[in-house]
Structure formats: structure tokens, C-alpha cells
Amino acid sequence: MKEKYDIIVVGAGPGGSITAKTCAKAGLDVLLIEKRQEIGDPVRCAEGCAKEGLIKHIQPDKRWIAAEVKGSKIIAPDGTQIKMSEEDSGGKAGYTLERKVFDRALAQEAAIAGAEVMVKTRATGLLRTNGRVSGINAMYMGETHEIKADIVIGADGVESKVGRWGGIDTSLKPDDIDTCAQFLVTNIDAGEYSKFFMGEKYTPGGYVWIFPKGPNSANVGLGILGSKCGKVRPISLLENFMKTNMPEGKVIEIVVGGVPVGGPIERTVADGLILVGDAARQSDPLTGGGIINAMDAGKIAAEVCIKAKEKGDYTIRTLNEYEHRWRATIGKQLIRSLKVKNLLVKLSDEQLNQLAHSLEEIDTSKMPLPKVLPILFKKNPKLLWELRTLFI
Amino acid sequence: MSVNVNRYKCGYCGACVGVCPVGALELVETWIEIDNTCTNCGVCAKICPVGALAVVK
């Protein structure tokens, strides 16, 4: 460990590792820290991910692809199924990842690109010079250190502290978080599709997912909107789902976690500071997906860091480019997803069935969700009137 | 300490850390720490996926 780096990245998830790798490749002096002693473990993710978004960032590798899926099936409360997101060629459209291996592979790429990596190293605060963020307080093996940097990247996930220390309020209200539980279930027929079960019947303000992790096993999980949690908990609803729907299934892992679903927050940069991924609340409010968004944001953050280094200016003036670029891309999608989610959570199971039936005569199997939504709107203008600004 | 963590139940996911309005919680490996800025608001207990947290009255 040195006394000073160009960039310190806090958190070695996909967002942090892509930021570190991209900066290191450009010759910047990078330190990537991870507070856990094992990168990638414990997992807090359903591990589903579209192929298209992923291959922009890393060459697919069998070691971290648990399964390939043909597409998605959305299942309405009455059992009506809607197929989506298949590839034109009939090939595989998505992956279920093995995050324990995937996250390590990404951190390894950052390390090979030249970044220094420290595990079991926790940021405990920010250093400041003339009011600007200028490094971190860190704890490694019980000892505290001051490490300076021109820019600190907060990629510290749903539980992010870096933003708060930097004066950005990232605290999630109960409406802004999906609280989730997941079992890795084996001894089942996992099928070839990622499945999403909608409706209050299964879970309030969320959905149940089944993502294949191989022919005989799958991630089976569900989320509850935080504001609807308390009387019922994700873990007990999931146990019920298992009993009713896959009594033959055997649980070989429990995963729990919270997913930010509140949409874009007001600010993700400060002088000497950038937030990336779940820490910047960039996960999709509708699907809960965050891996690709975090990696895309990490890439943008790194490109802005490289520019800042060239200019020698680490203030908001230069770092604001990150803010503008991610909001123009990821941000727009988040806002659309938030609007759709906010409406969907209000619909009754009967209304969800109605939506599913309206698609019965349309072949949506090759369409991604953003293409299906306008069709849904056209067929159900009254029910979805709130979304008109998205489609008219 | 005003929130009790059932450490036999806790799945150390850190969701509670993300919702704490005052930043009183921290997750260190499998251990949830609660400092004395906790206001007893109970948001963490409400959203815990396994119900491991309880406000101590």
C-alpha cells in the first residue's frame, strides 16, 4: 500500500472493478479495496443478466456462467405466460452468472491491468483537504491507515457509506428498496427460461424469480417492496412458495439482500468523489437488475477520472461530466422503469391478468421488455393511462 | 444500543445499513454494528428480509 493514489475505488463488485480496470489500463495509479475477506462472497444477487449488455465489458467465460437461458417468461397470477427477450436466431439471450467467480474474475482483470487490490480492507471515513475529498481512512486487519487519492470512487453497494460521508444523502426509504430472499434450489427441472411470477398472490410489490443455474438447479427468490414488508417477510413468503410450487426442491444456499428501486438520486458526484452502481442507486426499479448498469457507470466514471487526471482538476467542474453522461443513458431508463414499477405495484392481480390476456394474440417472444410495454399501453390505455407520457 | 440483532437469524446482507436514515449501522463481515446515533426509528427492523432486527423499547 502506498501513501497516495490517483484513484481509490471502495468496493470490488462489478462497478468498482470495471472502474479500477479502466483507470489502471490508462496508466492511472489505482487502489481497489474490498471490505470482505473474499471478493464475490457472500452473494446478494439473483445473478440474471442479458448477454448483450455483458459482453461489452468482459469476454464470456464458462467459469462464471452457471447457465444460459433462451429468454424470459412472465407469469400472471392466473398462470398466463408471456414469452419475451428471445434471440432472433433462437440462440441464448441471457446468462445466469456465478457471481462468486464472476466478481473475482473482474477484480483479477483490474489487478492484471495494474490496479493494487486490498481485501479485508474497510473504508471508515473520508479525508478532506480544503473541504474536498482527498482520500480515505481505512482499516486493514484491525489497523487504521490514511490513504490519499485525487478521486475516491464509492462503489460500496446498497449499504454505501462513502456517499453519505461525502455529503450525498443516499439513505433509502422503505419505498426505495426491495427486500429479498433467495434459495439456490436443486433437485428440480430448471427449464431453459428465466421466469418471473407477478402478483400479490406471490409477493406484495415485487415478483418471484426462477433463474436456471444448470439443468437441475435454479435461483428461486422473491422481493417485497420495503414499505409493504414487516407483517410478512421475504423469507417466509419464499418458504411458502417452495412448499406450494416446488415441493421436491432442496435448498443448498440461502441468499438475502436489499435492492435499490427508488430511481435516480439527486447527486452522484462531489469534489473528489464519484458514486457508482448500487451505491449511486443505479439498479433498475422495475427489474432490480444492477450488474450491467453498474459496469456501464463504472466505465463512464473511469473515463471521466482519466480526463480529470489529464486536466489536474478533480472538482465537480470536471466530474460533473459523469453525472451528465450516466443520466442521459442509464438515468433515462431508470426513470421509465420507476414509472412502470410505481403503476404495477398498484394493480390488482385481476388487472395483471387482464394485461397478460391482452397480449395473448401477439408474439412477444423476440421482443425485449421496452418493446412490449408500448404494446401493452396501446391495448390497455385506461389501465395504464399514467404511463402515457412514456409512449405518446 | 436501541436495536437488537438476532445474530442467529441475521443473513448479513446490509439492507438495514442502506435504509438507516442517520447512518448508525455498519456491516463488518457477518456482524451488524449499531452506534449511538441510532434514533430508534425502526426502519431497519421493518425491511429486514429475515426479521432479525427488533427495536428495544
Side-chain angles (χ1 to χ4, degrees):
Chain A
M1 183 189 12
K2 295 183 216 165
E3 254 176 49
K4 188 188 173 268
Y5 295 84
D6 294 326
I7 312 288
I8 294 176
V9 181
V10 179
S17 285
I18 289 288
T19 314
K21 175 180 126 182
T22 313
C23 285
K25 256 193 176 164
L28 270 59
D29 216 356
V30 181
L31 173 66
L32 171 63
I33 68 165
E34 169 56 52
K35 75 174 175 181
R36 302 164 172 181
Q37 56 191 22
E38 296 172 42
I39 289 172
D41 189 43
V43 171
R44 290 186 207 142
C45 181
E47 304 182 299
C49 166
K51 212 177 226 184
E52 193 187 26
L54 191 79
I55 54 179
K56 287 183 287 179
H57 295 287
I58 185 167
Q59 194 68 29
D61 185 333
K62 274 186 191 153
R63 289 180 307 147
W64 46 256
I65 298 168
E68 294 189 76
V69 295
K70 273 193 172 168
S72 306
K73 279 182 188 170
I74 318 288
I75 295 133
D78 68 359
T80 309
Q81 296 198 6
I82 303 157
K83 261 196 217 172
M84 257 184 238
S85 305
E86 282 178 6
E87 262 201 357
D88 285 337
S89 56
K92 302 292 166 72
Y95 296 126
T96 311
L97 302 175
E98 194 64 71
R99 283 286 303 269
K100 286 170 195 172
V101 186
F102 178 70
D103 285 30
R104 282 180 193 209
L106 284 173
Q108 204 174 355
E109 288 203 344
I112 288 167
E116 233 178 274
V117 185
M118 287 178 72
V119 294
K120 210 172 173 67
T121 304
R122 183 166 63 97
T124 57
L126 292 174
L127 303 175
R128 285 178 183 278
T129 309
N130 302 325
R132 289 177 195 170
V133 174
S134 59
I136 60 165
N137 294 109
M139 184 182 269
Y140 169 65
M141 298 294 290
E143 279 182 18
T144 55
H145 302 270
E146 286 192 355
I147 319 172
K148 295 191 186 85
D150 293 326
I151 301 171
V152 173
I153 306 288
D156 47 341
V158 66
E159 61 194 271
S160 177
K161 283 290 176 75
V162 171
R164 296 185 194 225
W165 294 330
I168 302 170
D169 181 15
T170 58
S171 67
L172 297 163
K173 310 238 165 1
D175 259 335
D176 300 332
I177 189 167
D178 250 16
T179 167
C180 308
Q182 171 178 282
F183 294 146
L184 173 54
V185 180
T186 193
N187 195 41
I188 53 165
D189 174 11
E192 292 180 295
Y193 288 83
S194 295
K195 292 188 201 123
F196 303 80
F197 297 77
M198 309 287 296
E200 193 94 20
K201 176 183 164 187
Y202 298 111
T203 175
Y207 61 83
V208 174
W209 63 84
I210 301 181
F211 294 170
K213 283 201 83 173
N216 303 115
S217 55
N219 283 336
V220 181
L222 61 80
I224 302 182
L225 194 61
S227 51
K228 301 192 179 204
C229 183
K231 279 191 189 128
V232 287
R233 303 265 172 200
I235 191 82
S236 41
L237 284 184
L238 183 57
E239 282 162 354
N240 289 343
F241 180 86
M242 288 280 303
K243 260 183 223 154
T244 322
N245 298 281
M246 36 179 74
E248 77 286 12
K250 292 173 186 173
V251 177
I252 55 173
E253 184 179 31
I254 296 180
V255 170
V256 283
V259 182
V261 293
I265 51 173
E266 220 176 288
R267 198 153 64 84
T268 59
V269 298
D271 289 329
L273 178 75
I274 297 179
L275 299 180
V276 163
D278 276 13
R281 310 321 188 196
Q282 286 162 336
S283 43
D284 190 287
L286 182 60
T287 64
I291 302 169
I292 306 292
N293 285 358
M295 292 168 91
D296 287 351
K299 187 90 193 304
I300 300 171
E303 286 163 6
V304 172
C305 286
I306 294 162
K307 258 192 205 170
K309 184 72 195 167
E310 278 165 11
K311 285 208 240 165
D313 176 31
Y314 312 106
T315 64
I316 285 188
R317 242 195 338 255
T318 301
L319 304 190
N320 249 340
E321 187 190 328
Y322 168 74
E323 195 87 83
H324 295 142
R325 281 179 60 192
W326 85 257
R327 284 183 198 277
T329 50
I330 303 163
K332 278 194 177 155
Q333 186 54 46
L334 295 188
I335 290 168
R336 289 171 70 95
S337 287
L338 181 63
K339 283 188 179 154
V340 177
K341 181 207 83 174
N342 284 345
L343 175 65
L344 282 183
V345 298
K346 283 190 282 189
L347 298 184
S348 67
D349 284 9
E350 201 40 57
Q351 288 169 318
L352 288 172
N353 291 335
Q354 191 187 320
L355 288 182
H357 295 162
S358 74
L359 292 176
E360 260 167 353
E361 275 162 28
I362 298 164
D363 181 12
T364 55
S365 61
K366 302 282 190 288
M367 299 180 194
L369 183 61
K371 277 212 174 139
V372 178
L373 286 173
I375 300 174
L376 265 182
F377 179 75
K378 235 183 213 170
K379 296 249 171 198
N380 308 273
K382 247 188 185 165
L383 200 52
L384 303 179
W385 189 240
E386 236 180 270
L387 304 179
R388 64 194 179 280
T389 52
L390 299 182
F391 306 117
I392 297 176
Chain B
M1 195 171 81
S2 42
V3 173
N4 186 47
V5 185
N6 183 340
R7 306 202 185 270
Y8 302 104
K9 244 187 185 182
C10 173
Y12 39 93
C13 72
C16 53
V17 180
V19 297
C20 178
V22 296
L25 280 73
E26 167 75 322
L27 170 66
V28 184
E29 297 288 352
T30 61
W31 192 260
I32 297 289
E33 284 180 350
I34 300 157
D35 70 26
N36 55 17
T37 59
C38 170
T39 62
N40 240 0
C41 74
V43 180
C44 55
K46 179 176 173 59
I47 65 89
C48 175
V50 295
L53 300 169
V55 176
V56 182
K57 294 264 160 76

